[in-house]
Amino acid sequence: MEGMEEQAGGKRNFKEKLLDQLSAAEAEAAKAAEEPVKSKQSLLVEMLVEGHPAAFVDMFYLTHRDGVADDTPTPAELEARGIDPETFVPEEEVAPESLQFLKEQLVLADDAARKSQMREVFDAYMRLARYFEGADNHRKAIFFYEKCLKTAQSAGDSDGELEANLHMGGACEHVGDTEKAAEYHEKHHALALQCGDDDALSTAQQNLVQVYRRRADELEEAGELGAAVSSLDKCLAVAKQSTDTTAEGLANYRLGQAYEKLGDYQRALQYHQDYRRLCTLSGDKTGEGTACCALASTHQALGDTEAAISNLETFLELAKNGDPASQARACCSLGIIYMKQKKFERAVTYFEKFFEVARSLHDRRMLDVARVNLGIARGSVRTGRLMDIVASDAHTLLQWKNVRMPLGVS
């Protein structure tokens, strides 16, 4: 089909085409900024007079607030972008200086469609989509990415489908629709496999790992733990395909946490063990320490106190130069375990470390907890010594009772 052939210099790879499109979009935006601004009404009239009714319809909907492409963000979308919904002032639907550029590209697409030059149609819509995305107008970008996708599908243009699905996924992420984003990234991944495009495949895998993780966050926050696990399973599968050990490790860790919340500690243990193994293989000491803490928590839930202690002590060894707050929590956990085992002197050792780290962090709440725990542990040591005397040397105790002589318990 005319206009669909590759350039004479050979087939460009995915990154080259993407860079070309970005450059073209920037050039078109700069050109549009320099030209005199015409009113929306005059441009719409021009399109009808010139015989471009299809372009007129798109222009009308895109430039009217009651059209199909209203880009006013919802309060939830604003909060996700760190913007206060109460103070947000919406911008104009389409900036006046962009109208001429919008009209030109719509007319180009209309003319090319009449001549069945579908690649030119695709390119015009892609320039518009990239332009609006660059202006953070993601809903209008989606409007044109959808047109790109339909154009590529009708022309049998697999490269165009690949591009359009990639950009649709990214734009849907920007507006917070992770479910739709995942669908488009999945299509992009499938097409990349089909085309044998290694660069596109790598990009698709990275995007899928990210969007599955985000989707899991949203589902977990909504209390849908089962659905969150399903999303994390997909994340893990893609991470394994991509041989990204960091992403694979984090997916295992997240799955372990999710199964702990579901009360399935045996499965949680398996995922945390896999996380630690991957961190050890990659030399990630911080990750290995995190895995040890997670394993300690799971072992405690399963009643395996010795394994919990072993993992916490390993964490402390790994975290000597790491996060002090994590060290403090580990020392506190060990102190509590030893208190439960009535090994009070060992509990005092770890509570003293907990107290020292808490004091260095100037964390008042943590310091209060450390002070109370240390006081209870030291009191338990003294009580234990006193009870030993009661059990083994009642005569000395009676002597002390009579003459109030001090005992060696301090």
mmCIF file of all heavy atoms in Angstrom, residues 61-100:
data_model
loop_
_atom_site.group_PDB
_atom_site.id
_atom_site.type_symbol
_atom_site.label_atom_id
_atom_site.label_comp_id
_atom_site.label_asym_id
_atom_site.label_seq_id
_atom_site.Cartn_x
_atom_site.Cartn_y
_atom_site.Cartn_z
ATOM 1 N N TYR A 61 -15.162 18.615 18.267
ATOM 2 C CA TYR A 61 -15.213 17.870 19.525
ATOM 3 C C TYR A 61 -14.008 18.173 20.402
ATOM 4 O O TYR A 61 -14.127 18.237 21.639
ATOM 5 C CB TYR A 61 -15.299 16.369 19.253
ATOM 6 C CG TYR A 61 -16.697 15.893 18.965
ATOM 7 C CD1 TYR A 61 -17.019 15.347 17.732
ATOM 8 C CD2 TYR A 61 -17.700 15.987 19.923
ATOM 9 C CE1 TYR A 61 -18.314 14.913 17.452
ATOM 10 C CE2 TYR A 61 -18.996 15.552 19.654
ATOM 11 C CZ TYR A 61 -19.301 15.021 18.424
ATOM 12 O OH TYR A 61 -20.573 14.595 18.151
ATOM 13 N N LEU A 62 -12.845 18.347 19.788
ATOM 14 C CA LEU A 62 -11.628 18.575 20.560
ATOM 15 C C LEU A 62 -11.556 19.969 21.161
ATOM 16 O O LEU A 62 -10.808 20.194 22.116
ATOM 17 C CB LEU A 62 -10.388 18.346 19.673
ATOM 18 C CG LEU A 62 -10.097 16.884 19.341
ATOM 19 C CD1 LEU A 62 -9.160 16.784 18.152
ATOM 20 C CD2 LEU A 62 -9.517 16.175 20.541
ATOM 21 N N THR A 63 -12.315 20.889 20.630
ATOM 22 C CA THR A 63 -12.213 22.281 21.093
ATOM 23 C C THR A 63 -13.434 22.741 21.861
ATOM 24 O O THR A 63 -13.556 23.917 22.179
ATOM 25 C CB THR A 63 -11.976 23.229 19.901
ATOM 26 O OG1 THR A 63 -13.019 23.046 18.936
ATOM 27 C CG2 THR A 63 -10.627 22.974 19.272
ATOM 28 N N HIS A 64 -14.341 21.831 22.189
ATOM 29 C CA HIS A 64 -15.513 22.187 22.973
ATOM 30 C C HIS A 64 -15.551 21.352 24.245
ATOM 31 O O HIS A 64 -15.380 20.136 24.202
ATOM 32 C CB HIS A 64 -16.805 21.980 22.166
ATOM 33 C CG HIS A 64 -16.996 23.026 21.105
ATOM 34 N ND1 HIS A 64 -16.226 23.064 19.959
ATOM 35 C CD2 HIS A 64 -17.840 24.090 21.038
ATOM 36 C CE1 HIS A 64 -16.603 24.089 19.218
ATOM 37 N NE2 HIS A 64 -17.573 24.724 19.852
ATOM 38 N N ARG A 65 -15.799 22.015 25.351
ATOM 39 C CA ARG A 65 -15.699 21.351 26.651
ATOM 40 C C ARG A 65 -16.739 20.247 26.835
ATOM 41 O O ARG A 65 -16.582 19.359 27.651
ATOM 42 C CB ARG A 65 -15.830 22.405 27.761
ATOM 43 C CG ARG A 65 -15.449 21.891 29.128
ATOM 44 C CD ARG A 65 -15.236 23.022 30.086
ATOM 45 N NE ARG A 65 -13.966 23.680 29.882
ATOM 46 C CZ ARG A 65 -12.803 23.222 30.342
ATOM 47 N NH1 ARG A 65 -12.760 22.088 30.991
ATOM 48 N NH2 ARG A 65 -11.694 23.883 30.136
ATOM 49 N N ASP A 66 -17.824 20.277 26.069
ATOM 50 C CA ASP A 66 -18.814 19.217 26.191
ATOM 51 C C ASP A 66 -18.587 18.111 25.167
ATOM 52 O O ASP A 66 -19.436 17.271 24.939
ATOM 53 C CB ASP A 66 -20.238 19.770 26.027
ATOM 54 C CG ASP A 66 -20.439 20.470 24.682
ATOM 55 O OD1 ASP A 66 -19.422 20.693 23.984
ATOM 56 O OD2 ASP A 66 -21.596 20.774 24.344
ATOM 57 N N GLY A 67 -17.376 18.106 24.549
ATOM 58 C CA GLY A 67 -17.065 17.099 23.556
ATOM 59 C C GLY A 67 -16.606 15.793 24.176
ATOM 60 O O GLY A 67 -16.571 15.627 25.382
ATOM 61 N N VAL A 68 -16.186 14.845 23.325
ATOM 62 C CA VAL A 68 -15.821 13.512 23.800
ATOM 63 C C VAL A 68 -14.445 13.468 24.429
ATOM 64 O O VAL A 68 -14.077 12.465 25.008
ATOM 65 C CB VAL A 68 -15.877 12.494 22.635
ATOM 66 C CG1 VAL A 68 -17.268 12.357 22.115
ATOM 67 C CG2 VAL A 68 -14.908 12.883 21.514
ATOM 68 N N ALA A 69 -13.686 14.545 24.301
ATOM 69 C CA ALA A 69 -12.291 14.487 24.760
ATOM 70 C C ALA A 69 -12.008 15.492 25.859
ATOM 71 O O ALA A 69 -10.957 16.084 25.913
ATOM 72 C CB ALA A 69 -11.344 14.710 23.580
ATOM 73 N N ASP A 70 -12.981 15.723 26.744
ATOM 74 C CA ASP A 70 -12.784 16.645 27.858
ATOM 75 C C ASP A 70 -11.624 16.177 28.718
ATOM 76 O O ASP A 70 -11.627 15.068 29.229
ATOM 77 C CB ASP A 70 -14.067 16.691 28.685
ATOM 78 C CG ASP A 70 -13.995 17.708 29.813
ATOM 79 O OD1 ASP A 70 -12.964 18.389 29.917
ATOM 80 O OD2 ASP A 70 -14.973 17.802 30.568
ATOM 81 N N ASP A 71 -10.620 17.061 28.886
ATOM 82 C CA ASP A 71 -9.413 16.654 29.612
ATOM 83 C C ASP A 71 -9.392 17.163 31.049
ATOM 84 O O ASP A 71 -8.361 17.164 31.688
ATOM 85 C CB ASP A 71 -8.171 17.157 28.862
ATOM 86 C CG ASP A 71 -6.916 16.406 29.276
ATOM 87 O OD1 ASP A 71 -6.950 15.166 29.269
ATOM 88 O OD2 ASP A 71 -5.922 17.064 29.625
ATOM 89 N N THR A 72 -10.538 17.626 31.565
ATOM 90 C CA THR A 72 -10.563 18.086 32.949
ATOM 91 C C THR A 72 -10.325 16.905 33.879
ATOM 92 O O THR A 72 -11.107 15.959 33.892
ATOM 93 C CB THR A 72 -11.922 18.727 33.279
ATOM 94 O OG1 THR A 72 -12.179 19.769 32.343
ATOM 95 C CG2 THR A 72 -11.926 19.278 34.691
ATOM 96 N N PRO A 73 -9.232 16.922 34.658
ATOM 97 C CA PRO A 73 -8.925 15.762 35.509
ATOM 98 C C PRO A 73 -9.893 15.645 36.679
ATOM 99 O O PRO A 73 -10.416 16.641 37.170
ATOM 100 C CB PRO A 73 -7.500 16.048 35.991
ATOM 101 C CG PRO A 73 -7.333 17.522 35.873
ATOM 102 C CD PRO A 73 -8.218 17.969 34.752
ATOM 103 N N THR A 74 -10.120 14.422 37.123
ATOM 104 C CA THR A 74 -10.953 14.178 38.290
ATOM 105 C C THR A 74 -10.168 14.539 39.553
ATOM 106 O O THR A 74 -8.925 14.617 39.516
ATOM 107 C CB THR A 74 -11.371 12.705 38.362
ATOM 108 O OG1 THR A 74 -10.184 11.914 38.558
ATOM 109 C CG2 THR A 74 -12.061 12.261 37.080
ATOM 110 N N PRO A 75 -10.843 14.750 40.696
ATOM 111 C CA PRO A 75 -10.113 15.022 41.950
ATOM 112 C C PRO A 75 -9.087 13.946 42.281
ATOM 113 O O PRO A 75 -7.980 14.253 42.741
ATOM 114 C CB PRO A 75 -11.237 15.067 42.994
ATOM 115 C CG PRO A 75 -12.436 15.518 42.224
ATOM 116 C CD PRO A 75 -12.302 14.891 40.865
ATOM 117 N N ALA A 76 -9.422 12.662 42.018
ATOM 118 C CA ALA A 76 -8.485 11.570 42.304
ATOM 119 C C ALA A 76 -7.243 11.675 41.431
ATOM 120 O O ALA A 76 -6.111 11.447 41.898
ATOM 121 C CB ALA A 76 -9.170 10.219 42.077
ATOM 122 N N GLU A 77 -7.432 12.048 40.154
ATOM 123 C CA GLU A 77 -6.289 12.196 39.245
ATOM 124 C C GLU A 77 -5.399 13.357 39.690
ATOM 125 O O GLU A 77 -4.172 13.270 39.633
ATOM 126 C CB GLU A 77 -6.784 12.426 37.815
ATOM 127 C CG GLU A 77 -7.407 11.198 37.167
ATOM 128 C CD GLU A 77 -8.101 11.500 35.851
ATOM 129 O OE1 GLU A 77 -8.061 12.658 35.394
ATOM 130 O OE2 GLU A 77 -8.697 10.566 35.287
ATOM 131 N N LEU A 78 -6.016 14.453 40.142
ATOM 132 C CA LEU A 78 -5.242 15.603 40.613
ATOM 133 C C LEU A 78 -4.417 15.239 41.844
ATOM 134 O O LEU A 78 -3.237 15.586 41.941
ATOM 135 C CB LEU A 78 -6.179 16.771 40.931
ATOM 136 C CG LEU A 78 -6.826 17.462 39.719
ATOM 137 C CD1 LEU A 78 -7.919 18.417 40.186
ATOM 138 C CD2 LEU A 78 -5.788 18.205 38.896
ATOM 139 N N GLU A 79 -5.049 14.520 42.787
ATOM 140 C CA GLU A 79 -4.333 14.122 44.007
ATOM 141 C C GLU A 79 -3.178 13.194 43.682
ATOM 142 O O GLU A 79 -2.112 13.275 44.302
ATOM 143 C CB GLU A 79 -5.302 13.452 44.975
ATOM 144 C CG GLU A 79 -6.268 14.434 45.619
ATOM 145 C CD GLU A 79 -7.365 13.759 46.420
ATOM 146 O OE1 GLU A 79 -7.365 12.507 46.477
ATOM 147 O OE2 GLU A 79 -8.216 14.471 46.983
ATOM 148 N N ALA A 80 -3.359 12.308 42.683
ATOM 149 C CA ALA A 80 -2.289 11.389 42.281
ATOM 150 C C ALA A 80 -1.106 12.152 41.703
ATOM 151 O O ALA A 80 0.033 11.686 41.771
ATOM 152 C CB ALA A 80 -2.817 10.390 41.246
ATOM 153 N N ARG A 81 -1.363 13.343 41.145
ATOM 154 C CA ARG A 81 -0.286 14.170 40.589
ATOM 155 C C ARG A 81 0.213 15.210 41.586
ATOM 156 O O ARG A 81 0.986 16.103 41.242
ATOM 157 C CB ARG A 81 -0.786 14.870 39.316
ATOM 158 C CG ARG A 81 -0.919 13.916 38.137
ATOM 159 C CD ARG A 81 -1.978 14.331 37.123
ATOM 160 N NE ARG A 81 -1.831 15.683 36.615
ATOM 161 C CZ ARG A 81 -2.687 16.265 35.778
ATOM 162 N NH1 ARG A 81 -3.757 15.601 35.370
ATOM 163 N NH2 ARG A 81 -2.490 17.492 35.347
ATOM 164 N N GLY A 82 -0.259 15.116 42.854
ATOM 165 C CA GLY A 82 0.206 16.032 43.892
ATOM 166 C C GLY A 82 -0.406 17.419 43.801
ATOM 167 O O GLY A 82 0.175 18.397 44.268
ATOM 168 N N ILE A 83 -1.599 17.541 43.181
ATOM 169 C CA ILE A 83 -2.260 18.842 43.006
ATOM 170 C C ILE A 83 -3.501 18.884 43.889
ATOM 171 O O ILE A 83 -4.272 17.930 43.940
ATOM 172 C CB ILE A 83 -2.649 19.066 41.528
ATOM 173 C CG1 ILE A 83 -1.399 19.041 40.633
ATOM 174 C CG2 ILE A 83 -3.402 20.376 41.353
ATOM 175 C CD1 ILE A 83 -1.709 19.013 39.147
ATOM 176 N N ASP A 84 -3.697 19.992 44.589
ATOM 177 C CA ASP A 84 -4.858 20.148 45.451
ATOM 178 C C ASP A 84 -6.097 20.408 44.593
ATOM 179 O O ASP A 84 -6.177 21.437 43.909
ATOM 180 C CB ASP A 84 -4.631 21.320 46.410
ATOM 181 C CG ASP A 84 -5.773 21.491 47.407
ATOM 182 O OD1 ASP A 84 -6.782 20.755 47.288
ATOM 183 O OD2 ASP A 84 -5.659 22.362 48.284
ATOM 184 N N PRO A 85 -7.092 19.502 44.605
ATOM 185 C CA PRO A 85 -8.293 19.699 43.779
ATOM 186 C C PRO A 85 -9.042 20.993 44.104
ATOM 187 O O PRO A 85 -9.711 21.565 43.245
ATOM 188 C CB PRO A 85 -9.163 18.473 44.115
ATOM 189 C CG PRO A 85 -8.216 17.455 44.630
ATOM 190 C CD PRO A 85 -7.144 18.236 45.345
ATOM 191 N N GLU A 86 -8.925 21.471 45.363
ATOM 192 C CA GLU A 86 -9.646 22.676 45.777
ATOM 193 C C GLU A 86 -9.088 23.934 45.120
ATOM 194 O O GLU A 86 -9.809 24.901 44.893
ATOM 195 C CB GLU A 86 -9.580 22.815 47.311
ATOM 196 C CG GLU A 86 -10.248 21.683 48.075
ATOM 197 C CD GLU A 86 -11.741 21.625 47.829
ATOM 198 O OE1 GLU A 86 -12.366 22.690 47.683
ATOM 199 O OE2 GLU A 86 -12.287 20.507 47.757
ATOM 200 N N THR A 87 -7.787 23.928 44.832
ATOM 201 C CA THR A 87 -7.151 25.137 44.275
ATOM 202 C C THR A 87 -6.838 25.001 42.790
ATOM 203 O O THR A 87 -6.317 25.934 42.183
ATOM 204 C CB THR A 87 -5.840 25.439 45.037
ATOM 205 O OG1 THR A 87 -4.951 24.316 44.917
ATOM 206 C CG2 THR A 87 -6.123 25.694 46.509
ATOM 207 N N PHE A 88 -7.159 23.847 42.187
ATOM 208 C CA PHE A 88 -6.833 23.619 40.771
ATOM 209 C C PHE A 88 -7.694 24.507 39.867
ATOM 210 O O PHE A 88 -8.907 24.600 40.024
ATOM 211 C CB PHE A 88 -7.050 22.151 40.404
ATOM 212 C CG PHE A 88 -6.903 21.859 38.931
ATOM 213 C CD1 PHE A 88 -5.647 21.877 38.342
ATOM 214 C CD2 PHE A 88 -8.013 21.566 38.151
ATOM 215 C CE1 PHE A 88 -5.506 21.604 36.991
ATOM 216 C CE2 PHE A 88 -7.878 21.297 36.807
ATOM 217 C CZ PHE A 88 -6.621 21.310 36.215
ATOM 218 N N VAL A 89 -7.016 25.175 38.912
ATOM 219 C CA VAL A 89 -7.713 25.977 37.904
ATOM 220 C C VAL A 89 -7.472 25.331 36.545
ATOM 221 O O VAL A 89 -6.330 25.276 36.078
ATOM 222 C CB VAL A 89 -7.187 27.435 37.881
ATOM 223 C CG1 VAL A 89 -7.908 28.230 36.803
ATOM 224 C CG2 VAL A 89 -7.352 28.076 39.244
ATOM 225 N N PRO A 90 -8.525 24.802 35.876
ATOM 226 C CA PRO A 90 -8.317 24.117 34.593
ATOM 227 C C PRO A 90 -7.851 25.072 33.514
ATOM 228 O O PRO A 90 -8.272 26.230 33.458
ATOM 229 C CB PRO A 90 -9.696 23.536 34.262
ATOM 230 C CG PRO A 90 -10.662 24.350 35.041
ATOM 231 C CD PRO A 90 -9.938 24.807 36.273
ATOM 232 N N GLU A 91 -6.961 24.578 32.650
ATOM 233 C CA GLU A 91 -6.503 25.360 31.512
ATOM 234 C C GLU A 91 -7.544 25.275 30.399
ATOM 235 O O GLU A 91 -8.468 24.480 30.436
ATOM 236 C CB GLU A 91 -5.162 24.821 31.022
ATOM 237 C CG GLU A 91 -4.057 24.944 32.041
ATOM 238 C CD GLU A 91 -2.747 24.387 31.524
ATOM 239 O OE1 GLU A 91 -2.739 23.877 30.390
ATOM 240 O OE2 GLU A 91 -1.751 24.465 32.251
ATOM 241 N N GLU A 92 -7.371 26.127 29.365
ATOM 242 C CA GLU A 92 -8.252 26.053 28.213
ATOM 243 C C GLU A 92 -8.154 24.664 27.591
ATOM 244 O O GLU A 92 -7.092 24.049 27.611
ATOM 245 C CB GLU A 92 -7.834 27.095 27.172
ATOM 246 C CG GLU A 92 -8.709 28.326 27.200
ATOM 247 C CD GLU A 92 -8.436 29.208 25.999
ATOM 248 O OE1 GLU A 92 -7.437 29.940 26.070
ATOM 249 O OE2 GLU A 92 -9.196 29.160 25.027
ATOM 250 N N GLU A 93 -9.232 24.195 26.998
ATOM 251 C CA GLU A 93 -9.257 22.871 26.394
ATOM 252 C C GLU A 93 -8.108 22.701 25.399
ATOM 253 O O GLU A 93 -7.364 21.747 25.445
ATOM 254 C CB GLU A 93 -10.597 22.638 25.696
ATOM 255 C CG GLU A 93 -11.648 22.054 26.600
ATOM 256 C CD GLU A 93 -11.258 20.659 27.039
ATOM 257 O OE1 GLU A 93 -11.504 19.698 26.306
ATOM 258 O OE2 GLU A 93 -10.680 20.540 28.122
ATOM 259 N N VAL A 94 -7.991 23.616 24.459
ATOM 260 C CA VAL A 94 -6.870 23.636 23.522
ATOM 261 C C VAL A 94 -6.356 25.065 23.480
ATOM 262 O O VAL A 94 -7.139 25.997 23.242
ATOM 263 C CB VAL A 94 -7.287 23.179 22.109
ATOM 264 C CG1 VAL A 94 -6.096 23.240 21.156
ATOM 265 C CG2 VAL A 94 -7.864 21.768 22.135
ATOM 266 N N ALA A 95 -5.077 25.255 23.714
ATOM 267 C CA ALA A 95 -4.504 26.600 23.722
ATOM 268 C C ALA A 95 -4.704 27.250 22.355
ATOM 269 O O ALA A 95 -4.560 26.588 21.323
ATOM 270 C CB ALA A 95 -3.023 26.527 24.062
ATOM 271 N N PRO A 96 -5.042 28.542 22.301
ATOM 272 C CA PRO A 96 -5.293 29.216 21.022
ATOM 273 C C PRO A 96 -4.144 29.071 20.022
ATOM 274 O O PRO A 96 -4.373 28.911 18.826
ATOM 275 C CB PRO A 96 -5.482 30.678 21.434
ATOM 276 C CG PRO A 96 -5.973 30.612 22.845
ATOM 277 C CD PRO A 96 -5.285 29.431 23.448
ATOM 278 N N GLU A 97 -2.903 29.097 20.525
ATOM 279 C CA GLU A 97 -1.755 28.991 19.622
ATOM 280 C C GLU A 97 -1.599 27.598 19.026
ATOM 281 O O GLU A 97 -0.807 27.402 18.095
ATOM 282 C CB GLU A 97 -0.466 29.399 20.340
ATOM 283 C CG GLU A 97 -0.094 28.565 21.539
ATOM 284 C CD GLU A 97 -0.694 29.076 22.846
ATOM 285 O OE1 GLU A 97 -1.658 29.881 22.787
ATOM 286 O OE2 GLU A 97 -0.183 28.678 23.903
ATOM 287 N N SER A 98 -2.343 26.625 19.560
ATOM 288 C CA SER A 98 -2.259 25.257 19.040
ATOM 289 C C SER A 98 -3.313 24.964 17.972
ATOM 290 O O SER A 98 -3.262 23.932 17.305
ATOM 291 C CB SER A 98 -2.444 24.246 20.183
ATOM 292 O OG SER A 98 -1.498 24.461 21.197
ATOM 293 N N LEU A 99 -4.291 25.845 17.847
ATOM 294 C CA LEU A 99 -5.423 25.566 16.964
ATOM 295 C C LEU A 99 -5.003 25.402 15.500
ATOM 296 O O LEU A 99 -5.507 24.516 14.800
ATOM 297 C CB LEU A 99 -6.470 26.673 17.094
ATOM 298 C CG LEU A 99 -7.197 26.736 18.445
ATOM 299 C CD1 LEU A 99 -8.039 28.001 18.543
ATOM 300 C CD2 LEU A 99 -8.069 25.500 18.637
ATOM 301 N N GLN A 100 -4.103 26.269 15.045
ATOM 302 C CA GLN A 100 -3.672 26.189 13.645
ATOM 303 C C GLN A 100 -2.970 24.854 13.369
ATOM 304 O O GLN A 100 -3.220 24.202 12.355
ATOM 305 C CB GLN A 100 -2.729 27.359 13.312
ATOM 306 C CG GLN A 100 -2.233 27.396 11.859
ATOM 307 C CD GLN A 100 -3.346 27.672 10.860
ATOM 308 O OE1 GLN A 100 -4.245 28.452 11.148
ATOM 309 N NE2 GLN A 100 -3.303 27.020 9.710
#
